[in-house]
Amino acid sequence: MRTDINLGVNFANIKMKNPVTTASGTFGFGEEYAHYLDLSRLGALVVKGTTLHPREGNPPPRIVETPCGILNAIGLQNPGVDIVVDEILPRLQQFNMPVIVNISGDTPDDYGLVAKKLDQSYAAGIEVNVSCPNVKKGGLQFGSDPAA
């Protein structure tokens, strides 16, 4: 295998060794897959939705198989930004890759508070979730309104 090929990219001022990333919401916080995949080979890891406070998510069933794929309605289950910043992101540093955190909230102020907490963390970037249709309130309410 050739090792002299440079696949590096610079996306939104985030330097990645290649353009391969995970999609938010599909790969948890990454650690769950470390024994299946060498995470350090990824260009970046985009972790699941993170909110200001912990969320349990929707009650089961949350995943349903259909003839054409899978539908899910997890409901932004996550431990909250403080746990992500204090525990999860420091553990992800060992994989030597940028981590982009998907953020969500109930109000625009929630988004700002989560982003502020991530600003001084290991996170290389923030992905703003304004389209999650399976929560009762949040980004979809103002994400679908251009004036908001």
Side-chain angles (χ1 to χ4, degrees):
M1 183 165 110
R2 289 182 58 181
T3 59
D4 62 333
I5 299 172
N6 180 358
L7 296 176
V9 295
N10 187 327
F11 175 74
N13 214 25
I14 299 171
K15 293 180 182 172
M16 301 186 294
K17 57 188 110 185
N18 62 64
V20 178
T21 68
T22 60
S24 61
T26 65
F27 211 69
F29 287 98
E31 296 174 301
E32 304 90 326
Y33 295 94
H35 58 281
Y36 298 111
L37 167 73
D38 178 1
L39 297 180
S40 67
R41 297 187 66 188
L42 292 170
L45 171 67
V46 183
V47 300
K48 71 181 278 110
T50 299
T51 54
L52 187 59
H53 303 290
R55 285 195 185 185
E56 291 184 22
N58 293 329
R62 303 194 290 186
I63 299 176
V64 176
E65 189 172 355
T66 72
C68 298
I70 294 176
L71 294 174
N72 80 59
I74 304 302
L76 298 173
Q77 175 187 350
N78 75 93
V81 69
D82 291 331
I83 297 294
V84 171
V85 167
D86 296 339
E87 297 177 23
I88 296 172
L89 291 178
R91 290 193 305 259
L92 291 174
Q93 288 184 39
Q94 68 180 305
F95 299 109
N96 191 30
M97 65 175 164
V99 176
I100 300 167
V101 179
N102 177 287
I103 67 170
S104 190
D106 293 335
T107 67
D109 287 341
D110 284 357
Y111 283 86
L113 292 169
V114 173
K116 185 175 183 177
K117 287 178 181 264
L118 289 166
D119 191 43
Q120 299 301 316
S121 75
Y122 177 69
I126 294 171
E127 175 184 69
V128 180
N129 183 343
V130 292
S131 64
C132 188
N134 60 39
V135 291
K136 289 186 170 62
K137 56 184 175 179
L140 189 59
Q141 288 180 323
F142 49 87
S144 60
D145 178 2

